[in-house]
Amino acid sequence: MSIYNIEDFNAVADGQTVNTVHIQAAVDAAYQAGGGTVRVPTGQFVTGTIHLKENVCIELAHGSTILGSTNIADYPQVDLPEYKSQKATGPQCALFYAEKADNIALTGTGTIDGRGDSFPTQGTDLEMRPRNIQFVSCNRVKVSGLTLRNSGMWMQHYNNCEDVLIENLNVYNHANANNDMIDIDSCRRVVVNNITGDTDDDGITIKSTGPAPCKDVAITNCVVHAHCNAIKIGTETTAHFENITLSNITISRSRNEKVHFGLENGISGISLEMVDGGVIDGITMDNINMDGVEVPIFIRIGARGRPYYTGIPRPGIGQIKRVSLSNIMIRNAGITGSSITGQPGFPIEDIYMSNIRFFTQGGVTEMPERHVDDMPLEYPEGTMFGTLPAAGMYIKHAKDIYMNGITVSADADDVRPAFYVESVDTLRINELNLKRVAQAVMECEACNSNKSVHEI
């Protein structure tokens, strides 16, 4: 494949000249030749939207920087993609954009800096602020080796893509609201490896904003600092999530004290949220180490039922089942507590938790309200219930919950039990270790007829 140096197409590395037409000309030349590599040499190159095309790789040399233009006019609104989703209902723009382009890549050791603080948040303008990377309905995608900084909105959004490799990235995203680290949306066959990220909003986010499933995803060896949710499946959950594995993830507070969304220490470590009618089935998370988050684990079925596109019927209540969480170390958790909460008639099913160690702040001196409202229509967030009546985990509307080798230890004496259960059918806990909490399991008095089973 031929090399197309953007300086040969009159791009200027002065950090001021807007080089959109010159960089796009290099991409177009590579595409018209049947494919090639567009090279960004050392220096600072300012640009607006670049449309990546089939069989083209953009390679950023060591010491090179792509600077996003600070003029929104340099990000013309793209046509709405053929794939219909909740994130493609109105105007949208990106620094690097591709639709239905196969065999594309962004690689190298350079930097892409979106300078997203140039686009102040105004109401519900989510799609009017540029992402750094947005690929829709693309196959054989590779993003590797780069430093990604300061997007106007989400840092990188892969929507309805297949055969995606994302590896060896360093991400820092604290320029604006909605500054997620990575959003994998309705994609199939995705590998994410060796990502270090610090982000204002969510970290590793898996969504389905449209009708296509998100399945066959493997994510490993990542470090996540986030003000919101470090690992999240949701919030948009139109379609199914299947065969997804996350392993070897380290989670801790952001290095940036300024918070657009969330909490300084982060809202949650792990959130699984099914609120728009889909199904979460077959999720495995192993070897997760988290420090300082307010809510370590949040598993939630809601009934928001948001249609993914205009004219689509409102979806019903979805499902969460067959989830395995193992080898999770939780230190310095906040006082809120973790939770597993379904809805009446729609229990969360078949959750297996092994070798989970909750080390919490504790210190709650008065028992919180024991009956927690179901709040089916509310936005799902780990802190939505306030302080829960359990130092470890509150469980409601669930069945077949199995736990083995669980530790709940509070730094200060806590009047709450380790677990509080309500409307739970079959809860089994083996090898439970407690410190400075009131008791092991407390069951809602109104639930005696629900055939809950506790084996400790």
Side-chain angles (χ1 to χ4, degrees):
M1 289 289 185
S2 299
I3 304 296
Y4 300 81
N5 190 313
I6 64 172
E7 289 184 322
D8 294 337
F9 292 80
N10 301 316
V12 179
D14 61 3
Q16 296 181 351
T17 302
V18 179
N19 293 286
T20 311
V21 295
H22 310 303
I23 298 174
Q24 189 64 58
V27 171
D28 292 346
Y31 169 68
Q32 291 165 5
T37 297
V38 173
R39 179 161 295 166
V40 179
T42 300
Q44 294 187 331
F45 296 88
V46 178
T47 184
T49 298
I50 299 299
H51 291 262
L52 196 51
K53 298 186 177 181
E54 187 165 323
N55 296 321
V56 174
C57 168
I58 296 180
E59 179 185 82
L60 279 70
H62 194 69
S64 68
T65 300
I66 290 288
L67 294 173
S69 170
T70 58
N71 184 353
I72 194 63
D74 290 324
Y75 304 89
Q77 299 170 10
V78 299
D79 294 334
L80 290 183
E82 180 179 316
Y83 177 72
K84 305 304 181 187
S85 74
Q86 193 269 334
K87 293 302 179 188
T89 58
Q92 52 191 308
C93 57
L95 181 54
F96 288 94
Y97 183 85
E99 181 191 0
K100 299 179 73 172
D102 295 347
N103 196 30
I104 59 175
L106 285 169
T107 66
T109 56
T111 297
I112 299 173
D113 187 340
R115 299 196 285 185
D117 55 0
S118 303
F119 312 105
T121 306
Q122 297 178 355
T124 58
D125 64 340
L126 298 186
E127 308 307 321
M128 290 302 295
R129 289 178 277 127
R131 296 162 171 82
N132 272 12
I133 300 169
Q134 184 176 18
F135 295 158
V136 183
S137 301
C138 297
N139 300 327
R140 300 187 302 283
V141 174
K142 181 179 181 179
V143 177
S144 175
L146 302 170
T147 295
L148 305 178
R149 297 181 60 84
N150 302 323
S151 178
M153 208 272 222
W154 293 350
M155 176 61 73
Q156 43 188 329
H157 182 195
Y158 307 92
N159 191 1
N160 190 40
C161 294
E162 296 188 342
D163 299 306
V164 179
L165 174 62
I166 305 160
E167 62 178 1
N168 303 325
L169 302 181
N170 187 292
V171 178
Y172 188 85
N173 207 20
H174 287 275
N176 217 319
N178 310 102
N179 269 178
D180 288 5
M181 183 177 87
I182 181 171
D183 290 83
I184 299 167
D185 182 355
S186 299
C187 294
R188 279 79 60 201
R189 299 183 300 282
V190 179
V191 173
V192 178
N193 187 35
N194 294 338
I195 311 297
T196 299
D198 194 318
T199 186
D200 181 75
D201 206 321
D202 299 325
I204 298 169
T205 308
I206 303 174
K207 296 176 176 286
S208 63
T209 65
C214 201
K215 63 185 297 185
D216 300 328
V217 178
I219 300 173
T220 191
N221 300 333
C222 296
V223 176
V224 182
H225 308 277
H227 283 152
C228 286
N229 307 285
I231 300 171
K232 182 167 82 167
I233 294 182
T235 304
E236 292 86 2
T237 52
T238 296
H240 290 6
F241 300 81
E242 302 176 17
N243 202 27
I244 296 173
T245 299
L246 296 98
S247 63
N248 303 337
I249 313 293
T250 297
I251 297 164
S252 61
R253 64 179 291 169
S254 170
R255 294 166 291 166
N256 191 316
E257 295 182 357
K258 181 180 179 181
V259 179
H260 287 284
F261 283 174
L263 302 172
E264 188 172 332
N265 284 350
I267 293 177
S268 80
I270 296 170
S271 285
L272 307 182
E273 307 166 352
M274 176 50 65
V275 298
D276 295 325
V279 176
I280 292 174
D281 182 2
I283 310 297
T284 299
M285 299 190 189
D286 179 62
N287 199 22
I288 313 294
N289 198 328
M290 62 181 79
D291 181 17
V293 300
E294 180 61 30
V295 179
I297 299 171
F298 176 70
I299 303 178
R300 167 73 172 165
I301 289 177
R304 178 176 67 176
R306 184 166 66 186
Y308 69 85
Y309 209 76
T310 303
I312 301 297
R314 185 176 184 271
I317 299 178
Q319 294 179 282
I320 297 177
K321 59 184 179 180
R322 290 191 286 246
V323 174
S324 176
L325 306 177
S326 60
N327 301 313
I328 299 177
M329 172 65 75
I330 300 156
R331 296 183 298 123
N332 302 311
I335 65 170
T336 298
S338 295
S339 61
I340 298 174
T341 58
Q343 293 294 322
F346 296 89
I348 292 172
E349 304 178 55
D350 194 12
I351 306 297
Y352 180 76
M353 303 175 66
S354 174
N355 190 25
I356 314 294
R357 307 184 72 193
F358 296 89
F359 292 92
T360 75
Q361 295 176 18
V364 175
T365 57
E366 295 185 11
M367 188 67 179
E369 172 62 42
R370 288 170 170 80
H371 178 74
V372 175
D373 191 275
D374 293 323
M375 293 193 283
L377 303 180
E378 296 297 319
Y379 182 91
E381 199 72 276
T383 53
M384 64 188 296
F385 303 119
T387 302
L388 290 162
M393 180 169 285
Y394 175 83
I395 307 174
K396 183 179 184 183
H397 302 312
K399 63 183 294 186
D400 299 332
I401 310 298
Y402 305 103
M403 300 185 182
N404 183 61
I406 308 298
T407 295
V408 180
S409 176
D411 293 339
D413 290 340
D414 200 305
V415 300
R416 298 174 295 174
F419 296 91
Y420 189 95
V421 299
E422 182 174 355
S423 300
V424 174
D425 188 346
T426 308
L427 167 66
R428 296 181 181 174
I429 307 175
N430 299 311
E431 297 184 24
L432 178 61
N433 305 296
L434 305 178
K435 181 180 179 181
R436 305 186 80 170
V437 297
Q439 63 187 79
V441 178
M442 183 180 294
E443 186 174 0
C444 174
E445 294 178 358
C447 298
N448 290 336
S449 63
N450 286 342
K451 301 180 181 179
S452 296
V453 177
H454 314 290
E455 297 182 2
I456 302 172

